[in-house]
Amino acid sequence: MEFDNAFEVPLPPEQAWPVLMDIQRIAPCMPGAQLTEVVDKTTYKGNIGVRLGPVALTFAGLVKFEEIDDANRTARVKAQGTDAKGRGGANAAASFRLEPTAAGSKVLVHTDLTLSGAVAQYGRGVGMIQATAAQLMKQFAENLRKQIAASAPAAAALPAATPAPARASAPTPSATPAPSAPPQAAPAAQQPLPPAAKPISGFSLMARVIWDAIARLFGGGSR
């Protein structure tokens, strides 16, 4: 199945792109995701858990950037994973790009997803997989915006820590030595990584999807 998602980042493209490429920092923003190993600069191992109704799924696998175009701010990613309890697997190919907006940047994501095993049948009739993906993107964007907002004060404090140039003046006997400049705030990259976001609960998500399906059915029949 193929589907499209989009979310916004409150940074201009030239600032948003490096943030999105810092996988170690943004991985905890994805609900239920955990980065377990950095294989190299384009390959990562991890797992992601999500609840679909009464079923809790945990996929462990590999994510690899096949193409990164910094000039055009586009990328292509492939991911594969298997459920920890052997109920199936997932393979995904995703491409995303940045577009400027009045408030910052919009990230557009196109995903081609293939499921196998028992998970391939669960919830497909009412669009559960697409709805889950949309909800994941929404919560990821919210968590990412919070992380960016939290790191903004530290980044803004860095220029203030630079001492101003001293004015030329004749020394006086009563002059005291100038206090040493305060240490600069640690850059965001050295701050502790944020905790992983909690997995999405599928109960409210399922109710919303079913309700939307009923509304569409009755809405179409009344025409």
Side-chain angles (χ1 to χ4, degrees):
M1 64 187 76
E2 296 187 33
F3 45 90
D4 295 285
N5 302 102
F7 61 91
E8 294 192 3
V9 179
L11 291 173
E14 63 273 12
Q15 296 180 23
W17 185 251
V19 171
L20 293 171
M21 290 294 99
D22 190 349
I23 304 302
Q24 290 179 274
R25 289 209 62 81
I26 70 170
C29 295
M30 181 63 73
Q34 181 184 19
L35 184 65
T36 59
E37 181 182 349
V38 178
V39 180
D40 54 44
K41 63 181 181 180
T42 60
T43 310
Y44 306 86
K45 289 183 179 181
N47 54 62
I48 183 168
V50 62
R51 292 192 64 88
L52 295 177
V55 180
L57 302 171
T58 300
F59 290 96
L62 189 73
V63 176
K64 182 176 180 60
F65 281 85
E66 292 199 320
E67 179 183 341
I68 299 176
D69 186 340
D70 293 324
N72 294 310
R73 301 187 181 99
T74 62
R76 189 172 68 248
V77 182
K78 276 197 173 182
Q80 59 182 16
T82 55
D83 176 61
K85 295 185 178 180
R87 289 168 292 188
N91 287 273
S95 59
F96 60 91
R97 70 181 190 276
L98 256 64
E99 290 185 354
T101 65
S105 304
K106 176 179 284 188
V107 185
L108 297 100
V109 186
H110 178 78
T111 305
D112 186 353
L113 176 66
T114 302
L115 300 175
S116 60
V119 296
Q121 305 302 322
Y122 189 83
R124 178 179 290 181
V126 290
M128 178 62 68
I129 304 301
Q130 291 92 332
T132 301
Q135 190 69 4
L136 281 169
M137 286 294 179
K138 179 181 177 180
Q139 292 194 16
F140 170 77
E142 291 175 356
N143 294 333
L144 183 59
R145 282 193 288 267
K146 291 177 182 178
Q147 185 189 117
I148 291 172
S151 62
L158 289 178
T162 304
R167 293 181 303 171
S169 60
T172 61
S174 60
T176 58
S180 58
Q184 293 186 350
Q190 295 180 5
Q191 296 175 356
L193 294 179
K198 294 181 179 179
I200 286 178
S201 172
F203 289 100
S204 60
L205 178 59
M206 179 181 291
R208 187 185 311 120
V209 173
I210 294 176
W211 175 256
D212 289 345
I214 293 173
R216 288 195 300 269
L217 176 63
F218 282 91
S222 62
R223 294 193 182 110

mmCIF file of all heavy atoms in Angstrom, residues 9-47:
data_model
loop_
_atom_site.group_PDB
_atom_site.id
_atom_site.type_symbol
_atom_site.label_atom_id
_atom_site.label_comp_id
_atom_site.label_asym_id
_atom_site.label_seq_id
_atom_site.Cartn_x
_atom_site.Cartn_y
_atom_site.Cartn_z
ATOM 1 N N VAL A 9 7.597 21.950 10.406
ATOM 2 C CA VAL A 9 8.674 22.192 11.365
ATOM 3 C C VAL A 9 8.866 23.701 11.464
ATOM 4 O O VAL A 9 8.955 24.385 10.441
ATOM 5 C CB VAL A 9 9.986 21.521 10.902
ATOM 6 C CG1 VAL A 9 11.105 21.788 11.893
ATOM 7 C CG2 VAL A 9 9.794 20.026 10.711
ATOM 8 N N PRO A 10 8.926 24.255 12.690
ATOM 9 C CA PRO A 10 9.045 25.711 12.844
ATOM 10 C C PRO A 10 10.457 26.236 12.633
ATOM 11 O O PRO A 10 10.979 27.010 13.435
ATOM 12 C CB PRO A 10 8.573 25.932 14.287
ATOM 13 C CG PRO A 10 8.993 24.691 14.994
ATOM 14 C CD PRO A 10 8.790 23.574 13.992
ATOM 15 N N LEU A 11 11.093 25.796 11.549
ATOM 16 C CA LEU A 11 12.420 26.260 11.181
ATOM 17 C C LEU A 11 12.469 26.428 9.666
ATOM 18 O O LEU A 11 11.812 25.671 8.943
ATOM 19 C CB LEU A 11 13.493 25.234 11.594
ATOM 20 C CG LEU A 11 13.762 25.022 13.091
ATOM 21 C CD1 LEU A 11 14.730 23.858 13.270
ATOM 22 C CD2 LEU A 11 14.322 26.275 13.737
ATOM 23 N N PRO A 12 13.233 27.391 9.156
ATOM 24 C CA PRO A 12 13.405 27.494 7.705
ATOM 25 C C PRO A 12 14.134 26.258 7.179
ATOM 26 O O PRO A 12 14.833 25.571 7.937
ATOM 27 C CB PRO A 12 14.239 28.767 7.531
ATOM 28 C CG PRO A 12 14.938 28.941 8.843
ATOM 29 C CD PRO A 12 13.993 28.418 9.889
ATOM 30 N N PRO A 13 13.976 25.942 5.880
ATOM 31 C CA PRO A 13 14.569 24.710 5.337
ATOM 32 C C PRO A 13 16.051 24.542 5.620
ATOM 33 O O PRO A 13 16.505 23.432 5.919
ATOM 34 C CB PRO A 13 14.293 24.835 3.832
ATOM 35 C CG PRO A 13 13.054 25.651 3.748
ATOM 36 C CD PRO A 13 13.159 26.648 4.872
ATOM 37 N N GLU A 14 16.828 25.622 5.549
ATOM 38 C CA GLU A 14 18.271 25.496 5.756
ATOM 39 C C GLU A 14 18.613 25.099 7.193
ATOM 40 O O GLU A 14 19.680 24.540 7.438
ATOM 41 C CB GLU A 14 18.993 26.797 5.376
ATOM 42 C CG GLU A 14 18.636 28.009 6.203
ATOM 43 C CD GLU A 14 17.419 28.747 5.658
ATOM 44 O OE1 GLU A 14 16.719 28.202 4.778
ATOM 45 O OE2 GLU A 14 17.175 29.876 6.123
ATOM 46 N N GLN A 15 17.712 25.359 8.137
ATOM 47 C CA GLN A 15 17.927 24.932 9.518
ATOM 48 C C GLN A 15 17.207 23.622 9.828
ATOM 49 O O GLN A 15 17.676 22.820 10.631
ATOM 50 C CB GLN A 15 17.443 26.016 10.489
ATOM 51 C CG GLN A 15 18.220 27.316 10.405
ATOM 52 C CD GLN A 15 17.698 28.362 11.385
ATOM 53 O OE1 GLN A 15 17.070 28.037 12.385
ATOM 54 N NE2 GLN A 15 17.951 29.624 11.086
ATOM 55 N N ALA A 16 16.070 23.407 9.185
ATOM 56 C CA ALA A 16 15.288 22.194 9.448
ATOM 57 C C ALA A 16 15.978 20.948 8.900
ATOM 58 O O ALA A 16 15.921 19.876 9.515
ATOM 59 C CB ALA A 16 13.895 22.323 8.837
ATOM 60 N N TRP A 17 16.638 21.072 7.765
ATOM 61 C CA TRP A 17 17.251 19.898 7.140
ATOM 62 C C TRP A 17 18.306 19.236 8.025
ATOM 63 O O TRP A 17 18.262 18.008 8.225
ATOM 64 C CB TRP A 17 17.836 20.274 5.775
ATOM 65 C CG TRP A 17 18.387 19.111 5.004
ATOM 66 C CD1 TRP A 17 19.695 18.830 4.738
ATOM 67 C CD2 TRP A 17 17.626 18.060 4.398
ATOM 68 N NE1 TRP A 17 19.806 17.684 4.005
ATOM 69 C CE2 TRP A 17 18.550 17.182 3.782
ATOM 70 C CE3 TRP A 17 16.267 17.778 4.315
ATOM 71 C CZ2 TRP A 17 18.147 16.038 3.098
ATOM 72 C CZ3 TRP A 17 15.860 16.637 3.626
ATOM 73 C CH2 TRP A 17 16.804 15.784 3.030
ATOM 74 N N PRO A 18 19.283 19.969 8.586
ATOM 75 C CA PRO A 18 20.256 19.308 9.477
ATOM 76 C C PRO A 18 19.600 18.647 10.688
ATOM 77 O O PRO A 18 20.062 17.604 11.158
ATOM 78 C CB PRO A 18 21.189 20.451 9.902
ATOM 79 C CG PRO A 18 21.030 21.492 8.845
ATOM 80 C CD PRO A 18 19.604 21.397 8.404
ATOM 81 N N VAL A 19 18.522 19.246 11.200
ATOM 82 C CA VAL A 19 17.830 18.643 12.340
ATOM 83 C C VAL A 19 17.239 17.300 11.938
ATOM 84 O O VAL A 19 17.376 16.298 12.652
ATOM 85 C CB VAL A 19 16.717 19.589 12.851
ATOM 86 C CG1 VAL A 19 15.857 18.885 13.897
ATOM 87 C CG2 VAL A 19 17.328 20.854 13.447
ATOM 88 N N LEU A 20 16.589 17.254 10.783
ATOM 89 C CA LEU A 20 15.963 16.011 10.330
ATOM 90 C C LEU A 20 16.995 14.938 9.981
ATOM 91 O O LEU A 20 16.690 13.744 10.044
ATOM 92 C CB LEU A 20 15.078 16.287 9.111
ATOM 93 C CG LEU A 20 13.849 17.155 9.388
ATOM 94 C CD1 LEU A 20 13.183 17.553 8.079
ATOM 95 C CD2 LEU A 20 12.865 16.436 10.287
ATOM 96 N N MET A 21 18.194 15.325 9.629
ATOM 97 C CA MET A 21 19.231 14.364 9.305
ATOM 98 C C MET A 21 19.988 13.866 10.545
ATOM 99 O O MET A 21 20.796 12.953 10.440
ATOM 100 C CB MET A 21 20.239 14.990 8.316
ATOM 101 C CG MET A 21 19.688 15.223 6.914
ATOM 102 S SD MET A 21 19.292 13.671 6.034
ATOM 103 C CE MET A 21 17.512 13.593 6.307
ATOM 104 N N ASP A 22 19.725 14.458 11.695
ATOM 105 C CA ASP A 22 20.353 14.025 12.949
ATOM 106 C C ASP A 22 19.483 12.925 13.552
ATOM 107 O O ASP A 22 18.673 13.167 14.455
ATOM 108 C CB ASP A 22 20.494 15.208 13.903
ATOM 109 C CG ASP A 22 21.351 14.880 15.116
ATOM 110 O OD1 ASP A 22 21.666 13.679 15.322
ATOM 111 O OD2 ASP A 22 21.697 15.808 15.868
ATOM 112 N N ILE A 23 19.640 11.705 13.073
ATOM 113 C CA ILE A 23 18.755 10.601 13.435
ATOM 114 C C ILE A 23 18.797 10.303 14.926
ATOM 115 O O ILE A 23 17.774 9.995 15.545
ATOM 116 C CB ILE A 23 19.122 9.341 12.627
ATOM 117 C CG1 ILE A 23 19.069 9.643 11.123
ATOM 118 C CG2 ILE A 23 18.178 8.191 12.968
ATOM 119 C CD1 ILE A 23 17.730 10.150 10.644
ATOM 120 N N GLN A 24 19.964 10.416 15.528
ATOM 121 C CA GLN A 24 20.079 10.107 16.953
ATOM 122 C C GLN A 24 19.247 11.054 17.819
ATOM 123 O O GLN A 24 18.753 10.670 18.879
ATOM 124 C CB GLN A 24 21.547 10.147 17.386
ATOM 125 C CG GLN A 24 22.376 8.992 16.825
ATOM 126 C CD GLN A 24 23.816 9.070 17.255
ATOM 127 O OE1 GLN A 24 24.639 9.723 16.630
ATOM 128 N NE2 GLN A 24 24.139 8.410 18.358
ATOM 129 N N ARG A 25 19.062 12.283 17.365
ATOM 130 C CA ARG A 25 18.289 13.242 18.149
ATOM 131 C C ARG A 25 16.802 13.150 17.857
ATOM 132 O O ARG A 25 15.977 13.366 18.763
ATOM 133 C CB ARG A 25 18.781 14.673 17.898
ATOM 134 C CG ARG A 25 20.146 14.938 18.507
ATOM 135 C CD ARG A 25 20.294 16.398 18.870
ATOM 136 N NE ARG A 25 19.327 16.810 19.876
ATOM 137 C CZ ARG A 25 19.458 16.598 21.183
ATOM 138 N NH1 ARG A 25 20.513 15.934 21.648
ATOM 139 N NH2 ARG A 25 18.546 17.019 22.019
ATOM 140 N N ILE A 26 16.415 12.862 16.626
ATOM 141 C CA ILE A 26 14.986 12.881 16.311
ATOM 142 C C ILE A 26 14.314 11.530 16.513
ATOM 143 O O ILE A 26 13.091 11.463 16.619
ATOM 144 C CB ILE A 26 14.722 13.376 14.874
ATOM 145 C CG1 ILE A 26 15.195 12.354 13.830
ATOM 146 C CG2 ILE A 26 15.364 14.732 14.644
ATOM 147 C CD1 ILE A 26 14.745 12.683 12.420
ATOM 148 N N ALA A 27 15.080 10.435 16.584
ATOM 149 C CA ALA A 27 14.468 9.113 16.770
ATOM 150 C C ALA A 27 13.594 9.035 18.018
ATOM 151 O O ALA A 27 12.497 8.466 17.971
ATOM 152 C CB ALA A 27 15.550 8.030 16.792
ATOM 153 N N PRO A 28 14.013 9.626 19.164
ATOM 154 C CA PRO A 28 13.152 9.550 20.345
ATOM 155 C C PRO A 28 11.829 10.298 20.186
ATOM 156 O O PRO A 28 10.922 10.101 20.992
ATOM 157 C CB PRO A 28 14.011 10.191 21.444
ATOM 158 C CG PRO A 28 15.416 10.049 20.969
ATOM 159 C CD PRO A 28 15.330 10.205 19.491
ATOM 160 N N CYS A 29 11.711 11.166 19.172
ATOM 161 C CA CYS A 29 10.463 11.893 18.957
ATOM 162 C C CYS A 29 9.380 11.003 18.346
ATOM 163 O O CYS A 29 8.191 11.345 18.423
ATOM 164 C CB CYS A 29 10.705 13.099 18.043
ATOM 165 S SG CYS A 29 11.790 14.366 18.736
ATOM 166 N N MET A 30 9.777 9.898 17.713
ATOM 167 C CA MET A 30 8.804 8.998 17.112
ATOM 168 C C MET A 30 8.193 8.113 18.190
ATOM 169 O O MET A 30 8.907 7.411 18.896
ATOM 170 C CB MET A 30 9.476 8.136 16.040
ATOM 171 C CG MET A 30 8.522 7.165 15.342
ATOM 172 S SD MET A 30 7.208 7.992 14.415
ATOM 173 C CE MET A 30 8.139 8.634 13.011
ATOM 174 N N PRO A 31 6.869 8.132 18.355
ATOM 175 C CA PRO A 31 6.232 7.328 19.403
ATOM 176 C C PRO A 31 6.592 5.851 19.289
ATOM 177 O O PRO A 31 6.467 5.245 18.230
ATOM 178 C CB PRO A 31 4.729 7.555 19.153
ATOM 179 C CG PRO A 31 4.662 8.866 18.453
ATOM 180 C CD PRO A 31 5.895 8.939 17.603
ATOM 181 N N GLY A 32 7.060 5.281 20.397
ATOM 182 C CA GLY A 32 7.370 3.858 20.451
ATOM 183 C C GLY A 32 8.674 3.454 19.813
ATOM 184 O O GLY A 32 9.005 2.269 19.794
ATOM 185 N N ALA A 33 9.451 4.421 19.280
ATOM 186 C CA ALA A 33 10.691 4.085 18.574
ATOM 187 C C ALA A 33 11.885 4.108 19.511
ATOM 188 O O ALA A 33 11.948 4.888 20.461
ATOM 189 C CB ALA A 33 10.924 5.052 17.423
ATOM 190 N N GLN A 34 12.844 3.234 19.227
ATOM 191 C CA GLN A 34 14.092 3.181 19.992
ATOM 192 C C GLN A 34 15.236 2.876 19.044
ATOM 193 O O GLN A 34 15.196 1.890 18.309
ATOM 194 C CB GLN A 34 14.013 2.118 21.080
ATOM 195 C CG GLN A 34 15.286 2.022 21.928
ATOM 196 C CD GLN A 34 15.231 0.906 22.947
ATOM 197 O OE1 GLN A 34 14.432 -0.013 22.819
ATOM 198 N NE2 GLN A 34 16.070 0.978 23.962
ATOM 199 N N LEU A 35 16.234 3.740 19.044
ATOM 200 C CA LEU A 35 17.439 3.522 18.245
ATOM 201 C C LEU A 35 18.395 2.666 19.054
ATOM 202 O O LEU A 35 18.791 3.039 20.152
ATOM 203 C CB LEU A 35 18.080 4.865 17.898
ATOM 204 C CG LEU A 35 19.298 4.836 16.983
ATOM 205 C CD1 LEU A 35 18.921 4.339 15.595
ATOM 206 C CD2 LEU A 35 19.918 6.230 16.886
ATOM 207 N N THR A 36 18.761 1.497 18.521
ATOM 208 C CA THR A 36 19.597 0.563 19.280
ATOM 209 C C THR A 36 21.048 0.530 18.805
ATOM 210 O O THR A 36 21.931 0.163 19.571
ATOM 211 C CB THR A 36 19.018 -0.856 19.210
ATOM 212 O OG1 THR A 36 18.933 -1.275 17.834
ATOM 213 C CG2 THR A 36 17.626 -0.903 19.826
ATOM 214 N N GLU A 37 21.303 0.899 17.545
ATOM 215 C CA GLU A 37 22.683 0.838 17.038
ATOM 216 C C GLU A 37 22.840 1.737 15.820
ATOM 217 O O GLU A 37 21.972 1.775 14.942
ATOM 218 C CB GLU A 37 23.050 -0.598 16.645
ATOM 219 C CG GLU A 37 24.483 -0.747 16.137
ATOM 220 C CD GLU A 37 24.810 -2.170 15.701
ATOM 221 O OE1 GLU A 37 24.004 -3.082 15.992
ATOM 222 O OE2 GLU A 37 25.867 -2.367 15.057
ATOM 223 N N VAL A 38 23.945 2.476 15.795
ATOM 224 C CA VAL A 38 24.320 3.255 14.623
ATOM 225 C C VAL A 38 25.370 2.439 13.869
ATOM 226 O O VAL A 38 26.523 2.356 14.287
ATOM 227 C CB VAL A 38 24.881 4.633 15.009
ATOM 228 C CG1 VAL A 38 25.313 5.402 13.765
ATOM 229 C CG2 VAL A 38 23.851 5.423 15.808
ATOM 230 N N VAL A 39 24.968 1.814 12.766
ATOM 231 C CA VAL A 39 25.881 0.971 11.993
ATOM 232 C C VAL A 39 26.905 1.838 11.277
ATOM 233 O O VAL A 39 28.110 1.594 11.335
ATOM 234 C CB VAL A 39 25.098 0.096 10.994
ATOM 235 C CG1 VAL A 39 26.054 -0.781 10.182
ATOM 236 C CG2 VAL A 39 24.083 -0.765 11.733
ATOM 237 N N ASP A 40 26.438 2.866 10.572
ATOM 238 C CA ASP A 40 27.303 3.866 9.951
ATOM 239 C C ASP A 40 26.463 5.121 9.769
ATOM 240 O O ASP A 40 25.351 5.217 10.294
ATOM 241 C CB ASP A 40 27.902 3.372 8.618
ATOM 242 C CG ASP A 40 26.846 2.895 7.625
ATOM 243 O OD1 ASP A 40 25.818 3.583 7.474
ATOM 244 O OD2 ASP A 40 27.033 1.827 7.017
ATOM 245 N N LYS A 41 26.966 6.101 9.020
ATOM 246 C CA LYS A 41 26.284 7.392 8.946
ATOM 247 C C LYS A 41 24.972 7.337 8.168
ATOM 248 O O LYS A 41 24.197 8.310 8.206
ATOM 249 C CB LYS A 41 27.207 8.442 8.314
ATOM 250 C CG LYS A 41 27.604 8.150 6.880
ATOM 251 C CD LYS A 41 28.531 9.231 6.352
ATOM 252 C CE LYS A 41 28.916 8.977 4.901
ATOM 253 N NZ LYS A 41 29.814 10.027 4.378
ATOM 254 N N THR A 42 24.681 6.231 7.483
ATOM 255 C CA THR A 42 23.421 6.123 6.749
ATOM 256 C C THR A 42 22.595 4.902 7.162
ATOM 257 O O THR A 42 21.497 4.706 6.626
ATOM 258 C CB THR A 42 23.670 6.045 5.230
ATOM 259 O OG1 THR A 42 24.467 4.885 4.930
ATOM 260 C CG2 THR A 42 24.384 7.292 4.729
ATOM 261 N N THR A 43 23.075 4.091 8.080
ATOM 262 C CA THR A 43 22.400 2.842 8.444
ATOM 263 C C THR A 43 22.209 2.758 9.947
ATOM 264 O O THR A 43 23.151 2.985 10.711
ATOM 265 C CB THR A 43 23.205 1.626 7.952
ATOM 266 O OG1 THR A 43 23.525 1.803 6.569
ATOM 267 C CG2 THR A 43 22.407 0.344 8.115
ATOM 268 N N TYR A 44 20.975 2.409 10.359
ATOM 269 C CA TYR A 44 20.634 2.387 11.771
ATOM 270 C C TYR A 44 19.787 1.161 12.096
ATOM 271 O O TYR A 44 18.998 0.699 11.268
ATOM 272 C CB TYR A 44 19.846 3.650 12.158
ATOM 273 C CG TYR A 44 20.543 4.927 11.786
ATOM 274 C CD1 TYR A 44 20.404 5.475 10.509
ATOM 275 C CD2 TYR A 44 21.366 5.582 12.690
ATOM 276 C CE1 TYR A 44 21.050 6.647 10.150
ATOM 277 C CE2 TYR A 44 22.023 6.753 12.352
ATOM 278 C CZ TYR A 44 21.862 7.282 11.072
ATOM 279 O OH TYR A 44 22.515 8.422 10.716
ATOM 280 N N LYS A 45 19.974 0.646 13.301
ATOM 281 C CA LYS A 45 19.145 -0.444 13.792
ATOM 282 C C LYS A 45 18.284 0.074 14.930
ATOM 283 O O LYS A 45 18.700 0.940 15.701
ATOM 284 C CB LYS A 45 20.011 -1.609 14.285
ATOM 285 C CG LYS A 45 20.720 -2.381 13.185
ATOM 286 C CD LYS A 45 21.498 -3.559 13.756
ATOM 287 C CE LYS A 45 22.204 -4.350 12.657
ATOM 288 N NZ LYS A 45 22.950 -5.510 13.217
ATOM 289 N N GLY A 46 17.075 -0.490 15.024
ATOM 290 C CA GLY A 46 16.186 -0.056 16.089
ATOM 291 C C GLY A 46 14.921 -0.874 16.111
ATOM 292 O O GLY A 46 14.791 -1.891 15.417
ATOM 293 N N ASN A 47 13.974 -0.430 16.920
ATOM 294 C CA ASN A 47 12.676 -1.084 16.965
ATOM 295 C C ASN A 47 11.607 -0.038 17.223
ATOM 296 O O ASN A 47 11.887 1.060 17.697
ATOM 297 C CB ASN A 47 12.645 -2.192 18.024
ATOM 298 C CG ASN A 47 13.068 -1.707 19.391
ATOM 299 O OD1 ASN A 47 12.433 -0.834 19.980
ATOM 300 N ND2 ASN A 47 14.164 -2.258 19.912
#
